[in-house]
Amino acid sequence: MLLMDLSLLLSLQPAAAQTSRGAPNVKAATSEGSAKPADTKKPAQSISLSGLLAAQRMTLRLKNQAALRRKARARTPNRKPITIINEQVPAGSANPAQRFPYSTAKKLIQEFLTAKLRNVTYDPSTSADLTKNLCEDIKKIVRRVTPPRYKLICNTAIGSKNQEDVLVTSQCLWDSYSDNVTSCSFQNPTMFCVVTVYAVYFE
């Protein structure tokens, strides 16, 4: 048993280490009277400890890479995307052939406010009449791009531009499949103006 452990230990160490330590070579036993030449087997190749450690590190790295690939495939299932062909409109909702172009209306209102109020100075005594005139003019401009059977409601707020902040909000109940709204604002050194236009479909 001791001889087997010693031979195993010597096979794991490099050849240079074996010669430096002076370990005896084990030869096959021959009979005294035989004239056969000695058994010339090639010595077993030595395995270095650093090589074993490098092989273990490489195996562990490959296992980790394979595990990461499996996790990535599990996160992204191979499902086909869902496409909605036609929007389902409720039975009680209106379904106009042409919807209100709110982005085009917003662009027209913004250009009109810039041209109309660029050089206007805020005056509390004339702001009421200015608000009414702006509403009528804006409705005429937006009516050019509004599809048939739409009613327009214009709400305009004008105020003095001082250090305080102003928040303008609105709320209404309507049919989201046919009705729409657009809003824009303008300000100059002395005043601000907020315009909201509602487009309500009438059957």
Side-chain angles (χ1 to χ4, degrees):
M1 184 68 179
L2 183 61
L3 185 59
M4 285 180 61
D5 293 340
L6 182 60
S7 64
L8 180 62
L9 180 62
L10 290 176
S11 65
L12 291 176
Q13 293 179 352
Q18 291 180 8
T19 55
S20 62
R21 293 180 185 175
N25 293 329
V26 180
K27 296 183 179 179
T30 58
S31 59
E32 295 178 356
S34 65
K36 292 181 181 179
D39 190 6
T40 57
K41 291 184 178 179
K42 293 182 180 179
Q45 293 182 353
S46 60
I47 302 173
S48 64
L49 186 59
S50 62
L52 287 174
L53 294 176
Q56 288 179 351
R57 285 195 297 268
M58 179 66 71
T59 304
L60 183 60
R61 189 181 304 118
L62 293 175
K63 287 182 178 179
N64 291 337
Q65 290 177 358
L68 289 176
R69 283 195 294 269
R70 285 195 299 270
K71 287 181 181 179
R73 284 195 295 268
R75 287 179 196 153
T76 56
N78 296 326
R79 295 180 182 175
K80 294 182 179 180
I82 300 173
T83 57
I84 298 175
I85 299 174
N86 291 322
E87 186 179 6
Q88 299 296 324
V89 180
S93 298
N95 192 10
Q98 188 177 0
R99 303 289 292 271
F100 175 73
Y102 62 92
S103 58
T104 305
K106 182 175 183 178
K107 183 179 180 181
L108 292 175
I109 296 169
Q110 192 68 51
E111 292 175 356
F112 171 75
L113 291 179
T114 304
K116 186 78 173 178
L117 302 178
R118 183 186 298 124
N119 300 321
V120 176
T121 303
Y122 177 74
D123 186 2
S125 60
T126 61
S127 60
D129 293 334
L130 180 60
T131 302
K132 292 179 182 178
N133 294 333
L134 284 176
C135 285
E136 295 299 325
D137 293 340
I138 289 171
K139 283 194 290 185
K140 291 178 182 178
I141 293 172
V142 176
R143 178 59 65 186
R144 301 174 189 167
V145 296
T146 304
R149 306 188 68 83
Y150 272 97
K151 290 186 176 183
L152 299 178
I153 302 169
C154 183
N155 184 13
T156 304
I158 293 177
S160 176
K161 186 179 176 184
N162 292 325
Q163 298 298 326
E164 60 273 359
D165 295 332
V166 177
L167 179 63
V168 179
T169 62
S170 63
Q171 187 177 5
C172 62
L173 181 63
W174 64 9
D175 187 356
S176 60
Y177 290 93
S178 58
D179 305 335
N180 214 324
V181 63
T182 184
S183 178
C184 59
S185 61
F186 174 81
Q187 57 181 347
N188 61 18
T190 62
M191 64 180 293
F192 70 89
C193 178
V194 179
V195 176
T196 306
V197 176
Y198 302 92
V200 180
Y201 186 73
F202 180 72
E203 287 186 320

